[in-house]
Amino acid sequence: MTRLMLIAVLVLAAGGAVFVAGAGSSEDTTRYRIVLDNSFGLTEGADLKSAGVRVGSIEKLDVQRETARALVTAKVELESFAGFRKDVFCEVQPQSLIGEYFLNCDPGTSSQPAPGTIPVDQTGGTIPPDLVQNVLRRPARERLGLILAELGAGLGGRGEDVQATIRRAIPALRETDKVLKILGDNSETLNSLTREGDRVLVDLAGNRNDVARFVSEARDTASASASRRGALAETVRKLPAFLRELRPTLRELGTAAERQTPALADLRAAAPQLTTLFRRLGPFSEAARPAVRSLGRASRTGVRAAREARSTVKQLRTLGSRSTEPMRNLRFVLEDLDDRGRAVEPNKLSPGGEGFTGLEALLQYFFVQSQAINIFDSKGYILKLNALINQCAQYTNAETARADPERTEACSSALGPNQPGVNTAVTRTADKKASPARERRRSS
């Protein structure tokens, strides 16, 4: 009788779970405390799985005194396991037909980690198939009927509690409720599927050869995947570590995307102008075709000229390699000519007023001469005249220049600091001593 009572209680109240996260004793191991209605089938060392993958084991079995429920301590042994989320759901499931059981938990999809205590409606249990078979045997089923008849009188006024107990005790009812809810949420889709089902079947019948080929290729694909199951398993094993290493890169990518927002905003503002540019680029390209063709024809002539100039370029290269010393000396001479510190006299028209360099003075001479030369060509003749009507227009010699120093300074256009007869003495030929060579020429 005691055995039948135990069987009846197990059938009416199957295991559900309340999940309580707790910190482990070591840094590398995470432990969870799981409260079950009963721990039937679980043993110390049994598997703890997450979505069907083993992540740990059952470490300890105990009883929660305040609720008279089973208290299970499980530890996570897989380092790459990310942990359970707030909407985790756990249930005891059979592992084989010989009575082995394990605790399977769906980790959930919430962004928040699992709280210290998970409510009981997020847990569930299962009906052991061996107990169902034992209850269906005689004389156990007659005795169960008597027990249910006696319990009926005691549970007559607790219909809601009995209903909740039955729903928690029978996983099939819980899963059926989920299925019905999904079907209800997708009623419009089901109606459309019903309406379009005939059309789909007609299309499938008309393309049965393609369907058969798809099935055949799917078989070949599955066979190829099965032959590579070792490599696929290794890829899945390395995936958690890859995801851990990928997270910093994704964070940096998010930061880069945020910093690119101003540039993208400017690009969006410039989009109309870019659109106009691209629209005009086509007609511009068409108009440029004749010029490009002419450039292509000119390039043919240039190619021939470049080929014929190879010998000249070779000689210039040889000359350049052999004229290193003369070019260096020429550089020194030109740098000295272009040194403004060697200017003969200050000139306010020069850069900085320091005076013109020798190279600038030479270029200025050619410029002045080009402006002074009269123009004569096939079109006509131009005579250049400079009419000065001021104090500088009067004729000036050395005596008049010495007589009026202010006018001389204002109108002076000397080519150097020394002006013979004005600011320096004039040396006559008769005062100079004849050179020995000149004396020999005179005596001869």
Side-chain angles (χ1 to χ4, degrees):
M1 189 67 179
T2 304
R3 180 179 176 84
L4 292 177
M5 181 65 73
L6 177 60
I7 293 173
V9 172
L10 291 176
V11 172
L12 293 176
V18 176
F19 189 88
V20 180
S25 59
S26 64
E27 296 181 357
D28 298 333
T29 303
T30 303
R31 286 176 170 80
Y32 297 95
R33 299 175 63 206
I34 303 172
V35 181
L36 303 173
D37 287 332
N38 66 78
S39 59
F40 178 82
L42 292 180
T43 59
E44 294 183 1
D47 292 340
L48 171 66
K49 295 185 178 182
S50 176
V53 179
R54 186 181 184 279
V55 296
S57 61
I58 304 300
E59 187 177 47
K60 184 180 178 181
L61 297 175
D62 202 349
V63 177
Q64 190 180 42
R65 305 303 177 184
E66 58 271 16
T67 59
R69 293 191 175 108
L71 183 62
V72 177
T73 302
K75 64 177 180 179
V76 176
E77 302 170 353
L78 188 63
E79 296 182 358
S80 58
F81 180 61
F84 296 134
R85 315 311 300 167
K86 186 177 180 180
D87 54 347
V88 62
F89 186 87
C90 299
E91 59 183 339
V92 180
Q93 295 181 356
Q95 187 159 330
S96 64
L97 296 177
I98 61 176
E100 296 181 357
Y101 294 85
F102 68 94
L103 186 62
N104 186 42
C105 296
D106 184 357
T109 59
S110 175
S111 59
Q112 302 178 4
T117 300
I118 301 230
V120 71
D121 56 359
Q122 293 181 227
T123 65
T126 185
I127 298 177
D130 54 342
L131 293 182
V132 176
Q133 294 174 3
N134 292 335
V135 171
L136 295 179
R137 295 193 184 100
R138 296 182 66 184
R141 66 172 179 266
E142 286 86 357
R143 295 175 181 176
L144 179 60
L146 295 175
I147 293 174
L148 293 177
E150 296 296 331
L151 290 176
L155 300 176
R158 304 185 63 182
E160 295 181 358
D161 296 337
V162 173
Q163 182 181 9
T165 302
I166 293 175
R167 287 186 176 276
R168 285 186 51 79
I170 304 177
L173 294 178
R174 184 175 64 249
E175 299 300 330
T176 302
D177 290 341
K178 293 181 180 178
V179 173
L180 293 177
K181 185 177 183 303
I182 294 174
L183 294 177
D185 295 339
N186 295 273
S187 58
E188 296 182 1
T189 304
L190 293 175
N191 292 333
S192 177
L193 178 62
T194 303
R195 292 192 303 269
E196 304 295 335
D198 294 339
R199 183 181 302 174
V200 173
L201 292 176
V202 172
D203 293 339
L204 289 176
N207 296 275
R208 56 181 177 271
N209 293 331
D210 295 336
V211 175
R213 181 170 56 83
F214 168 76
V215 174
S216 177
E217 293 180 355
R219 178 199 60 197
D220 297 339
T221 302
S223 177
S225 300
S227 64
R228 303 283 295 176
R229 59 181 176 272
L232 292 175
E234 184 67 16
T235 301
V236 174
R237 187 185 66 80
K238 294 180 179 179
L239 182 61
F242 170 75
L243 293 177
R244 286 198 305 271
E245 296 178 0
L246 184 63
R247 288 191 183 98
T249 303
L250 293 178
R251 285 195 296 267
E252 294 178 0
L253 184 61
T255 303
E258 293 177 356
R259 293 180 178 179
Q260 286 179 353
T261 301
L264 295 177
D266 295 340
L267 183 61
R268 182 176 181 179
Q273 299 178 358
L274 291 175
T275 302
T276 303
L277 173 63
F278 291 140
R279 287 177 180 174
R280 295 178 179 178
L281 190 60
F284 173 78
S285 302
E286 293 295 333
R289 287 181 182 273
V292 174
R293 293 192 184 99
S294 300
L295 183 61
R297 291 191 295 268
S299 64
R300 299 190 188 99
T301 306
V303 169
R304 290 195 298 269
R307 290 174 180 173
E308 295 176 356
R310 288 179 180 176
S311 59
T312 304
V313 173
K314 184 177 180 180
Q315 294 176 1
L316 289 175
R317 182 169 62 247
T318 304
L319 177 63
S321 62
R322 295 180 179 178
S323 60
T324 304
E325 189 65 25
M327 291 298 103
R328 184 182 296 110
N329 296 333
L330 180 61
R331 187 194 71 183
F332 294 154
V333 172
L334 294 178
E335 287 178 353
D336 187 72
L337 286 176
D338 200 36
D339 186 5
R340 197 170 303 280
R342 301 288 299 275
V344 176
E345 60 181 351
N347 192 318
K348 62 181 180 180
L349 299 178
S350 63
E354 298 179 4
F356 292 103
T357 66
L359 185 60
E360 291 174 345
L362 180 62
L363 296 176
Q364 185 181 19
Y365 171 77
F366 289 106
F367 173 76
V368 172
Q369 292 298 325
S370 66
Q371 296 298 313
I373 296 176
N374 295 329
I375 299 175
F376 176 76
D377 56 13
S378 61
K379 304 298 182 182
Y381 176 80
I382 298 178
L383 177 62
K384 294 183 178 181
L385 296 175
N386 289 330
L388 296 177
I389 304 176
N390 52 25
Q391 61 177 352
C392 298
Q394 300 176 9
Y395 175 78
T396 303
N397 55 18
E399 295 180 358
T400 57
R402 288 195 304 271
D404 192 355
E406 295 181 357
R407 175 176 172 275
T408 302
E409 183 179 358
C411 301
S412 177
S413 58
L415 296 178
N418 300 323
Q419 302 178 34
V422 180
N423 56 5
T424 59
V426 178
T427 303
R428 301 182 180 277
T429 305
D431 298 336
K432 294 183 180 179
K433 185 179 181 180
S435 61
R438 183 176 301 175
E439 292 293 335
R440 286 195 296 270
R441 287 196 298 269
R442 287 180 179 180
S443 60
S444 61

